[in-house]
Amino acid sequence: LKLCIGEISKLKYELQTDKEMTELPGDESDQAEWNKLLQEIKPNNSYFSAVWLYAECYIYRRLKTVFEESRTLKDFDYFEHSKRLELSKSLSSISRVMNSVNEFNTEPRTHEEIGDFFCRLLKQDLWGNRNDLSITLGAETEQAESNPLQEIDKFNSDLLIDQTVEIWHCLRSDKENKIVDIICDNSGFELLSDLILCDFIIQHKLASKIRFRVKAIPWFISDVTPKDFKYTLDQLVKSSDQILSDAGRRYKSYIANRQFELIEPAGHFF
């Protein structure tokens, strides 16, 4: 642990003093590609001179290297505590959204009604990104007491481009055995919103399978790893809230019959 703390302090010093970003040790599948990039961007390969995206991603990849090189902390997720707090704070809001979906699904609906509701769920999923812990520097986000799904229209004016209708028409196409890929971003509220949207897609037979693509390593504080995905389903099942526990069991049944598929091992591409 002391060695890891020392390496993190070293990384912090290098960033603050704009030192050259050093190559990554180890034998992970993305190591050679990272080290090639660090050579290609010279002489602009320090934190303040490099393209922001390269520099920011390097921090998270280098941080993972610190623990990869240790004996006992190779699989340690240093953001896990923050992600689990965010999940626990999100459950009451998510239960209200799930209840709205359940109420919608109890009545026969026209294609137009299903399409309109789908578009609302898609926007609800989109705005779940406001709970990104890398934006709040790891601080917990505040969850409203209202139903987020009922608040979604007020954010329409903030959309630069709105292609929800086009996505709906794509899903409604006559192509059989459609597969939807979800590139997961944040744990907690956003992942739960992903699951609600995908549940709706399966229940209304808009696709035959949903594939969830998550991060291979702890990334940008709150991004979903395979462990986070499984933990979320387990917490839903264990919940004393019947709406949440029913949803958790349903999601696990989708996993069992391969209507939901968590892609493992997670690749470094996403």
Side-chain angles (χ1 to χ4, degrees):
L1 183 59
K2 288 183 178 179
L3 290 174
C4 289
I5 292 172
E7 286 298 313
I8 293 170
S9 296
K10 178 183 177 183
L11 172 59
K12 180 181 178 182
Y13 170 78
E14 290 175 3
L15 296 174
Q16 290 175 328
T17 55
D18 202 31
K19 295 291 189 293
E20 183 177 288
M21 293 186 285
T22 58
E23 293 190 2
L24 302 175
D27 56 3
E28 288 294 311
S29 61
D30 65 334
Q31 178 210 13
E33 191 169 358
W34 261 110
N35 290 342
K36 179 182 177 184
L37 172 67
L38 292 173
Q39 290 298 320
E40 289 175 349
I41 64 175
K42 284 185 176 182
N44 298 315
N45 68 334
S46 66
Y47 185 72
F48 294 114
S49 66
V51 173
W52 174 85
L53 183 61
Y54 294 157
E56 194 75 0
C57 289
Y58 174 82
I59 292 174
Y60 289 99
R61 183 60 185 85
R62 175 82 176 274
L63 190 58
K64 176 59 177 173
T65 296
V66 169
F67 293 90
E68 283 175 353
E69 296 298 295
S70 71
R71 290 184 180 180
T72 58
L73 296 172
K74 290 181 182 295
D75 298 319
F76 177 62
D77 184 347
Y78 24 91
F79 300 133
E80 184 177 277
H81 178 70
S82 296
K83 289 186 283 188
R84 292 188 175 185
L85 279 178
E86 173 65 23
L87 172 63
S88 65
K89 289 191 66 174
S90 300
L91 292 176
S92 59
S93 292
I94 283 296
S95 179
R96 291 190 284 272
V97 177
M98 288 179 175
N99 188 54
S100 294
V101 178
N102 291 345
E103 289 177 352
F104 178 87
N105 287 338
T106 57
E107 301 287 338
R109 302 291 181 177
T110 66
H111 286 304
E112 289 74 19
E113 288 174 324
I114 295 171
D116 288 344
F117 201 82
F118 169 83
C119 289
R120 293 181 66 79
L121 285 179
L122 185 58
K123 289 177 181 177
Q124 146 76 23
D125 196 15
L126 166 71
W127 290 111
N129 186 254
R130 292 180 301 158
N131 295 273
D132 187 334
L133 293 180
S134 68
I135 297 174
T136 65
L137 301 180
E140 297 175 40
T141 57
E142 293 297 324
Q143 297 294 336
E145 292 299 320
S146 58
N147 184 339
L149 193 59
Q150 295 173 353
E151 304 275 316
I152 209 66
D153 289 339
K154 69 181 182 182
F155 297 112
N156 284 340
S157 61
D158 295 322
L159 294 173
L160 297 178
I161 298 175
D162 184 356
Q163 294 181 301
T164 50
V165 174
E166 288 91 334
I167 295 170
W168 165 246
H169 288 317
C170 179
L171 282 176
R172 273 208 63 199
S173 68
D174 294 331
K175 183 179 178 182
E176 294 182 359
N177 299 319
K178 290 191 291 290
I179 297 176
V180 174
D181 284 88
I182 300 291
I183 303 171
C184 294
D185 192 2
N186 298 293
S187 300
F189 189 91
E190 189 172 0
L191 175 58
L192 291 165
S193 297
D194 292 338
L195 291 165
I196 291 172
L197 177 66
C198 293
D199 184 21
F200 188 84
I201 289 172
I202 293 296
Q203 289 201 52
H204 289 275
K205 298 180 172 55
L206 299 171
S208 57
K209 175 184 280 193
I210 313 285
R211 295 187 297 208
F212 295 89
R213 299 185 180 276
V214 299
K215 302 300 191 296
I217 64 174
W219 195 251
F220 280 75
I221 303 181
S222 53
D223 283 20
V224 184
T225 64
K227 185 178 179 181
D228 296 326
F229 187 94
K230 295 170 185 175
Y231 178 82
T232 298
L233 297 192
D234 288 341
Q235 291 306 110
L236 289 174
V237 170
K238 294 175 184 176
S239 175
S240 59
D241 183 322
Q242 192 66 44
I243 294 173
L244 295 174
S245 60
D246 287 348
R249 284 190 287 271
R250 191 164 59 252
Y251 301 161
K252 285 204 168 189
S253 74
Y254 293 157
I255 293 282
N257 62 29
R258 299 189 65 78
Q259 288 173 290
F260 279 7
E261 181 182 2
L262 174 62
I263 301 301
E264 292 187 284
H268 287 276
F269 180 81
F270 295 110

